[in-house]
């Protein structure tokens, strides 16, 4: 990981900004033309760089977008954009700009990508936010859905490649979950999933990215995290799940989970390789008797 404090600060800002998409308190930009259509970009007091680079706070992968194209921020209830010397320029309502204040409904063009500025209080803003949440969140657990998690994974892998940062991935699968559904019904199974997802949400911090892959399987991205730290995090969560008092028709339902932990290595080809390794480690945890954590190099014991 880089020791440059500017790189570290940019990394942290971008990781947090990605997780806060659609959660801006004052206003945000909505992508209405180009890649990441529908994405909500919240505006905060800390300026965020929009650009093609993996180190940008908000990455837009399009050839017309400069590596560091423009920066956006809010200040005392006002919202601003500043061009950063981009190749194709930054346009507001089809007019080139350097630094300008944004107004409700303004159309911002970053290269060939078009974004619309909306204040959070507007009806249209609430509509876009609801659509974004519907498109990116799992309705049962409120964690990110599989598609959005994959987007985050590819973005974080690109950043790890560009900046030399560490990136760990944890796969989580509930043990013998079919028995819960068979014994108590699918409604009880849904309650267990909500209960476990709540434990996952409590375990993650602002930089982590948690999602539901499907069924009883979850995944958590841990940017800027070593393999050993990811193993310790997974072990703590494994114990928390083991201790959960999940509600069931006949009292309390106890569940356990198996974990597979992997870290991105040079030579891996994108997020698919990292997911494949995490899945292999998860299968090893299942084969070892479940309720344990397996990783690329370290195995933890049950307790």
């Amino acid at each position: 990981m880089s020791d440059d404090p500017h790189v570290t600060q940019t990394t942290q800002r971008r990781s947090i900004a990605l997780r806060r998409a659609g959660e801006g308190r004052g206003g945000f930009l909505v992508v209405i033309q180009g890649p990441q259509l529908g994405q909500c970009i919240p505006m905060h007091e800390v300026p965020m760089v929009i650009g093609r680079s993996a180190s940008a706070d908000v990455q837009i992968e399009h050839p017309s977008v400069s590596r560091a194209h423009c920066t956006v921020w809010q200040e005392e209830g006002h919202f601003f954009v500043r061009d950063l010397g981009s190749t194709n320029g930054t346009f507001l309502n089809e007019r080139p700009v350097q630094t300008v204040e944004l107004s409700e409904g303004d159309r911002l063009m970053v290269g060939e990508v078009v974004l619309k500025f909306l204040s959070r209080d507007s009806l249209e803003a609430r509509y876009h936010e609801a659509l974004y949440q519907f498109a990116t969140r799992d309705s049962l657990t409120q964690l990110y859905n599989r598609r959005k998690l994959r987007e985050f994974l590819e973005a974080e892998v690109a950043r790890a490649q560009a900046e030399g940062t560490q990136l760990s991935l944890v796969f989580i699968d509930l043990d013998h979950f079919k028995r819960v559904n068979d014994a108590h019904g699918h409604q009880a199974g849904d309650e267990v999933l909500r209960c476990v997802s709540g434990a996952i949400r409590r375990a993650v911090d602002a930089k982590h990215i948690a999602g539901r892959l499907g069924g009883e399987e979850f995944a958590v991205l841990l940017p800027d995290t070593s393999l050993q730290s990811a193993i310790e995090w997974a072990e703590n969560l494994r114990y928390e799940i083991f201790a959960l008092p999940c509600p069931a028709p006949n009292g309390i339902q106890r569940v356990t989970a198996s974990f597979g932990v992997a870290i991105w290595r040079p030579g891996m080809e994108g997020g698919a390789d990292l997911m494949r390794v995490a899945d292999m480690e998860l299968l090893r945890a299942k084969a070892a008797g479940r309720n344990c954590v397996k990783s690329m190099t370290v195995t933890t014991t049950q307790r």
Side-chain angles (χ1 to χ4, degrees), residues 21-22 27-31 39-43 48 50 58 60 72 115:
F28 53 87
L29 296 163
V30 180
V31 180
Q39 179 179 356
C40 299
I41 302 169
M43 298 179 68
M48 294 194 304
I50 298 176
V58 179
I60 299 179
V72 296
L115 306 98

Side-chain angles (χ1 to χ4, degrees), residues 127-147:
Y127 170 73
H128 279 286
E129 184 176 356
L131 284 180
Y132 183 80
Q133 293 298 324
F134 179 78
T136 61
R137 297 281 181 174
D138 172 66
S139 60
L140 179 65
T141 65
Q142 296 306 304
L143 299 176
Y144 286 114
N145 60 28
R146 184 185 183 95
R147 182 186 64 81

Side-chain angles (χ1 to χ4, degrees), residues 126-192:
R126 293 196 294 271
Y127 170 73
H128 279 286
E129 184 176 356
L131 284 180
Y132 183 80
Q133 293 298 324
F134 179 78
T136 61
R137 297 281 181 174
D138 172 66
S139 60
L140 179 65
T141 65
Q142 296 306 304
L143 299 176
Y144 286 114
N145 60 28
R146 184 185 183 95
R147 182 186 64 81
K148 191 61 183 178
L149 188 70
R150 285 297 303 269
E151 287 184 14
F152 282 134
L153 175 61
E154 296 303 335
E156 291 297 342
V157 165
R159 185 170 68 82
Q161 291 174 320
E163 300 178 5
T165 55
Q166 298 186 90
L167 173 63
S168 293
L169 174 63
V170 179
F171 271 14
I172 307 159
D173 191 86
L174 301 187
D175 299 325
H176 302 300
F177 184 70
K178 186 176 183 297
R179 295 179 185 175
V180 176
N181 286 330
D182 290 345
H184 304 293
H186 288 280
Q187 185 174 353
D190 286 350
E191 287 301 321
V192 168

Side-chain angles (χ1 to χ4, degrees), residues 208-221:
H208 299 160
I209 310 166
R212 182 186 181 193
L213 294 175
E216 65 273 23
E217 191 168 3
F218 304 87
V220 180
L221 274 170

Side-chain angles (χ1 to χ4, degrees), residues 43-212:
M43 298 179 68
H44 303 283
E45 292 180 358
V46 176
M48 294 194 304
V49 174
I50 298 176
R52 194 179 71 252
S53 171
S55 62
D57 298 297
V58 179
Q59 185 183 21
I60 299 179
E61 297 186 72
H62 192 277
S64 67
V65 178
S66 294
R67 292 179 59 79
H69 198 105
C70 64
T71 184
V72 296
W73 74 98
Q74 67 167 319
E75 185 176 328
E76 297 180 351
H78 298 269
F79 302 87
F80 300 90
V81 60
R82 176 181 295 137
D83 184 73
L84 296 176
S86 62
T87 301
N88 294 318
T90 300
F91 291 77
L92 187 68
N93 301 325
E94 301 182 357
R95 297 180 61 181
V97 295
Q98 292 301 314
T99 301
V100 68
E101 182 176 353
L102 298 171
S103 298
E104 182 74 25
D106 278 346
R107 294 165 64 91
L108 181 67
M109 181 174 286
V110 178
E112 297 176 9
V113 178
V114 181
L115 306 98
K116 188 173 184 177
F117 173 72
L118 298 169
S119 65
R120 187 173 176 82
D121 294 333
S122 72
L123 180 62
E124 186 176 1
R126 293 196 294 271
Y127 170 73
H128 279 286
E129 184 176 356
L131 284 180
Y132 183 80
Q133 293 298 324
F134 179 78
T136 61
R137 297 281 181 174
D138 172 66
S139 60
L140 179 65
T141 65
Q142 296 306 304
L143 299 176
Y144 286 114
N145 60 28
R146 184 185 183 95
R147 182 186 64 81
K148 191 61 183 178
L149 188 70
R150 285 297 303 269
E151 287 184 14
F152 282 134
L153 175 61
E154 296 303 335
E156 291 297 342
V157 165
R159 185 170 68 82
Q161 291 174 320
E163 300 178 5
T165 55
Q166 298 186 90
L167 173 63
S168 293
L169 174 63
V170 179
F171 271 14
I172 307 159
D173 191 86
L174 301 187
D175 299 325
H176 302 300
F177 184 70
K178 186 176 183 297
R179 295 179 185 175
V180 176
N181 286 330
D182 290 345
H184 304 293
H186 288 280
Q187 185 174 353
D190 286 350
E191 287 301 321
V192 168
L193 292 174
R194 291 190 188 97
C195 191
V196 171
S197 64
I200 293 173
R201 285 196 300 272
R202 291 190 294 273
V204 299
D205 64 24
K207 292 197 300 180
H208 299 160
I209 310 166
R212 182 186 181 193

